[in-house]
Amino acid sequence: MAAPEFKIPRPHLGEPYLLTPGPLTTSYAVKQAMLRDWGSWDDDFRGMTRELRARLLDLLGAGKEAFDCVPIQGSGTFSVEAMLGSFIPRNGKVLVLANGAYGKRTAQTLEYLGRAHVVLDKGDYLPPRGAEVAKILADDPAITHVVAIHCETSSGILNPVEEISEVTYAAGRKLLIDSMSAFGAIELKVADIRYEALVSSANKCIEGVPGFGFIIARITELEAAKGNSHSLSLDVHAQWAHMNKTEQWRFTPPTHVVAAFLVALRAHEAEGGVAGRGARYTRNRDVMVAGMRDLGFEALLKDRWLSPIIVTFFCPSDDNFAFDRFYELMKDKGFIIYPGKLTVVDSFRVGCIGQMDEHVMRQVVAAAKEALAEMGVANAAPPARALEERAILAA
Ligand SMILES: Cc1ncc(COP(=O)(O)O)c(C=O)c1O
């Protein structure tokens, strides 16, 4: 059966598409929702907060009644810090599964918070696997929590959170998931995978604008979190208890961002929820990766690990290729791409999320082809060193 066609209007003011993993290209309707002002204390806005929390919980599917949703002002990192500080008791110990910048940031946050932790660092992109997590947990009975990054946005790898969840709970420990760049496009149904809490933010796969993040946590964990937090403003228990009592945020809420997010949430539902959104992003990725491969580019990850969120490509070895020039040429053609974060070889990233469809992705590939021609790059193949690096990634 042919994939459904999406016709998504171009950015209204003619600005470039953001092929970045949030902030991302949002719909005009989402931006338009920010044109009116809301009283944060008023009943109408309280109703909006109520709807936002209920709609986010709906994405967990059957069993959602055991969970609640707590929005927190600030960027995604604020919510990650809130989750870690609130759910990990001061005498807890964390195993951080790191394979990129966001895993490392979690470890750094725990350092600030003074929570004991060990890091399984897999380097730039190798996935943490169930068996090695099980071994670390068996060898260190003091570990109480495991923190996993769902899509490690720095490489685009989709980490095997189901496998990690199984071994974590088989060892009697608890799992917290940073699903910042994946939630809303990749299922985290509580009937299928066990975890205590997840964190994401407004400007990722739900396609809102930046301004707040949210934690979705098991109610028993929210109750038990009282008194754990090191921080007044990032205390998830306090925000939750206050919101349940008053339907208000404890401190000034990003009212316009909330209004925009509700429009984004309704559009997410209309597109078919997590499955529909994930299908569009997957198609975006497949069309873009196939086109880039036709031009000679090579992706960092084997298909098994490619997320539908963002894809890392190696920079071509051709001497005429310079990333900064490529970036400018792509921007002139209407597309903002993202520099790479690999430490061993040069790379760049192309996001698949936001208000765009496969037609846009074909234009992205056409723009890359033109940019290569303008730079005088005859072949987009990467250096041999990059392919050796990739060969390390087990199937
Ligand atoms: C997996 C992951 N965790 C945490 C963050 C941090 O979010 P923010 O940059 O909004 O603070 C990001 C941002 O892209 C992310 O992708």
Side-chain angles (χ1 to χ4, degrees), residues 21 75-77 80 102 105 149 151 153 178 180-181 201 204:
S75 88
T77 304
V80 175
Y102 295 107
R105 190 179 294 174
I149 313 295
C151 170
T153 325
D178 173 353
M180 195 69 65
S181 61
S201 75
K204 302 289 188 192

Side-chain angles (χ1 to χ4, degrees), residues 17-18 77 94 96 107 124 140 183 185 226-227 231 263 270 281 313 345:
Y17 281 100
L18 299 182
T77 304
V94 184
V96 181
D124 275 350
D140 189 347
F183 186 73
K226 187 170 185 178
S231 160
V263 172
Y281 291 172
F313 292 98
V345 287

Side-chain angles (χ1 to χ4, degrees), residues 342-358:
L342 301 184
T343 48
V344 182
V345 287
D346 291 337
S347 60
F348 65 92
R349 291 175 287 169
V350 181
C352 311
I353 64 179
Q355 276 291 288
M356 54 206 187
D357 57 17
E358 63 184 276

Side-chain angles (χ1 to χ4, degrees), residues 21 113 187 193 226 232 303 374:
L113 299 182
E187 298 283 9
I193 172 171
K226 187 170 185 178
L232 172 73
D303 291 357
E374 286 166 50

